Amino acid sequence: MFNEFYVKRTIEKEAVHDADLELYAIQKARELDWDTFKASKAFIDTFKKENKISSRRCNKIITRTKPNKKHFSLNDAHNWIESKRPLILKYSTNEILNSNHCSFQQEYVPPRTLSFTGERTTEVAVKKKYNTTHSYTVQPITSANGHLLDKFLMILQEKENQFGQRVQKNLIVPPNVVIRASKSGKNSGVKHHVFLNEVLRPLVGKKFLLFLDSWKIQADLTKFRAVFPN
């Protein structure tokens, strides 16, 4: 119950009221098979008191950086796998591949900190706000038999969208890493082609099944067919 409240307030910054706490409590009770449980006013008041939760005036309005997304459950994942099973069964586990972007930042800011009860605004200092959003991206490939494939793509953040001469001179690149640069440290259409051509293509044979997320560039089959025409 507290976890639901914590996520809504501290991470998602949603407004939460007593009715929401009642819903969280009832949902938790159902998980525990407490059929006779009732989220009474006394229970809600005790929960708020024990967790130092009180009604507070909103004094800072912020804009959501991401649109609301549907939350998927473990059952949704199982159902999706079952729907794809006829396709999956045509491949061996070493031919079934998955890849995704792993983003990292130079400065990590935890979503919660110990602070004074009752303060109006809880602030956390960082060196640069820009460093808390994105710094570099890594894209590895894993197989269904639990193996991490031998090569991966790394995109580093560089102001000029490319490595300078000094960086290139001192940059140590392991043989299993393909490194590129971008201003944001994020992936792009050009970098996705590099991933397909220089990372994925040398690792696979003619038969493989690749699962990627629904990012627009990755979902564009023309980019995939440019590297894998057959």
Side-chain angles (χ1 to χ4, degrees):
M1 178 178 172
F2 179 79
N3 289 341
E4 286 80 0
F5 173 83
Y6 175 83
V7 170
K8 286 294 182 183
R9 279 299 304 131
T10 307
I11 299 177
E12 299 179 1
K13 302 295 184 182
E14 294 279 349
V16 179
H17 306 284
D18 283 8
D20 298 303
L21 296 181
E22 292 176 12
L23 178 61
Y24 303 154
I26 292 172
Q27 289 174 338
K28 190 63 178 179
R30 288 177 178 174
E31 293 177 10
L32 299 173
D33 294 326
W34 293 354
D35 298 331
T36 60
F37 173 82
K38 292 184 179 180
S40 64
K41 184 178 184 302
F43 175 84
I44 298 299
D45 290 342
T46 300
F47 174 82
K48 290 193 294 184
K49 183 177 180 180
E50 290 180 349
N51 292 281
K52 297 183 179 180
I53 298 170
S54 60
S55 178
R56 304 189 60 81
R57 182 185 296 274
C58 298
N59 58 13
K60 185 176 182 181
I61 305 299
I62 61 175
T63 302
R64 286 192 183 92
T65 56
K66 295 182 179 180
N68 289 328
K69 294 183 178 180
K70 179 182 177 182
H71 294 279
F72 293 95
S73 66
L74 191 58
N75 285 335
D76 292 325
H78 288 318
N79 292 337
W80 184 86
I81 292 174
E82 288 302 318
S83 70
K84 302 300 179 184
R85 191 167 297 281
L87 175 63
I88 292 173
L89 290 176
K90 297 179 181 179
Y91 298 83
S92 60
T93 54
N94 65 298
E95 295 172 332
I96 303 172
L97 309 175
N98 174 255
S99 182
N100 205 349
H101 308 118
C102 302
S103 302
F104 301 88
Q105 62 248 35
Q106 293 181 23
E107 291 189 67
Y108 171 71
V109 181
R112 191 176 179 87
T113 181
L114 294 176
S115 193
F116 298 103
T117 300
E119 66 184 5
R120 294 186 176 183
T121 303
T122 301
E123 297 178 334
V124 178
V126 296
K127 291 182 179 179
K128 294 180 180 179
K129 285 186 178 181
Y130 187 73
N131 289 345
T132 65
T133 56
H134 207 98
S135 295
Y136 65 95
T137 299
V138 173
Q139 186 170 5
I141 306 171
T142 57
S143 61
N145 59 0
H147 291 166
L148 180 66
L149 272 62
D150 293 337
K151 298 185 75 173
F152 65 89
L153 174 67
M154 175 178 285
I155 304 172
L156 301 179
Q157 188 179 45
E158 289 291 328
K159 292 182 179 180
E160 302 302 325
N161 211 32
Q162 61 183 0
F163 297 118
Q165 292 183 355
R166 180 179 297 179
V167 174
Q168 291 185 32
K169 181 179 179 180
N170 298 319
L171 188 63
I172 299 175
V173 182
N176 67 321
V177 182
V178 175
I179 295 183
R180 292 294 185 271
S182 73
K183 290 183 179 180
S184 64
K186 297 180 181 180
N187 210 333
S188 65
V190 174
K191 304 300 187 296
H192 180 57
H193 182 272
V194 171
F195 166 76
L196 293 174
N197 190 50
E198 299 185 32
V199 178
L200 180 63
R201 189 168 62 88
L203 298 175
V204 298
K206 291 185 177 181
K207 183 181 179 182
F208 66 95
L209 180 62
L210 176 65
F211 288 103
L212 299 171
D213 63 28
S214 57
W215 180 41
K216 183 178 179 180
I217 292 177
Q218 291 187 154
D220 185 355
L221 286 179
T222 59
K223 298 182 183 300
F224 184 84
R225 295 302 181 194
V227 179
F228 299 96
N230 298 324

